[in-house]
Amino acid sequence: MNVSVPVRFIAALSLLAMAAPGVAQWGRGPDRWGGSRIDSPRAPLVSNGRDSREGQVDAAQFTAEGGAARLGSGPVQVSTLTGAVDDVAGTAPFEAAVIDQLVKAGYDTLAQSQGDSGQVTELRIRREVLVPEETKRKPVSGEMMVGTGTYGSTMGMALAVDLSKPRKALVSTRMEARILDKATGAPLWEGRAEIATREGDSRWSDQAIATRLAEAMFERFPNGPARVAAR
């Protein structure tokens, strides 16, 4: 993402006019879904102009008791829950990213399970605005000051030129997944990952976001529960 650096130029112009008596005067006017909340992208802002949450990922995964031995093999189906997509253009990139991780873990995502055999992976994708888009700025602004004194009156003008572009909205994208036993519906594993990105950032297409979230969420899968720190 190319960010324009603010350019500010202050120019002052003073004019000495007619003499007039007087005294010189100057002045200026918890979110729950089968596990704990992930809230790293909601950390406070930093003061250097860039939000510390941009590009940061927080992820966690949890394995049900006795579920580890059943993970990473056999047929598995992947689907996005109905009504579980918030303001996301499409689910295909997210489903594809999760399928890639399941295949790497040893699952067969192409085989059609017979009856109730195998497992099911359910996805939920959420997107929300953390910081709204900045309003457009006036490229040129200024103010005028007038004063009078014993030797006359003065008039000053200050101009400010700001060529920086307003920052786009900071958006959080969160992906959650559950692996269930198809026959009983019992949860075997749950994972989640969240990232904050700027809208319009060419580095963070839906595909790039989906891939990054899936990689973080399935890190060390299926070797048991683990928490992945924000990075």
Side-chain angles (χ1 to χ4, degrees), residues 120-166:
V120 176
T121 301
E122 296 179 341
L123 299 182
R124 184 193 302 267
I125 300 125
R126 296 177 176 176
R127 184 167 288 172
E128 63 175 308
V129 175
L130 299 176
V131 181
E133 181 178 1
E134 293 180 349
T135 58
K136 292 183 178 180
R137 307 184 183 94
K138 293 182 179 180
V140 180
S141 60
E143 58 185 53
M144 181 181 296
M145 298 170 290
V146 178
T148 56
T150 304
Y151 300 104
S153 61
T154 58
M155 179 178 66
M157 179 179 294
L159 296 178
V161 179
D162 186 353
L163 302 180
S164 62
K165 294 181 179 179

Side-chain angles (χ1 to χ4, degrees), residues 34-144:
S36 61
R37 177 178 176 178
I38 298 177
D39 53 12
S40 176
R42 294 172 177 79
L45 302 178
V46 293
S47 59
N48 61 1
R50 183 183 184 277
D51 197 303
S52 63
R53 295 170 289 187
E54 289 185 43
Q56 296 299 305
V57 179
D58 189 63
Q61 53 179 250
F62 309 89
T63 302
E65 185 176 356
R70 303 174 61 185
L71 296 172
S73 62
V76 66
Q77 298 175 350
V78 179
S79 63
T80 302
L81 294 175
T82 303
V85 181
D86 298 338
D87 193 27
V88 178
T91 62
F94 297 90
E95 292 182 1
V98 169
I99 289 173
D100 286 345
Q101 295 300 316
L102 293 174
V103 171
K104 290 178 182 179
Y107 278 107
D108 186 347
T109 60
L110 298 178
Q112 297 295 323
S113 60
Q114 301 297 321
D116 290 334
S117 64
Q119 297 170 10
V120 176
T121 301
E122 296 179 341
L123 299 182
R124 184 193 302 267
I125 300 125
R126 296 177 176 176
R127 184 167 288 172
E128 63 175 308
V129 175
L130 299 176
V131 181
E133 181 178 1
E134 293 180 349
T135 58
K136 292 183 178 180
R137 307 184 183 94
K138 293 182 179 180
V140 180
S141 60
E143 58 185 53
M144 181 181 296

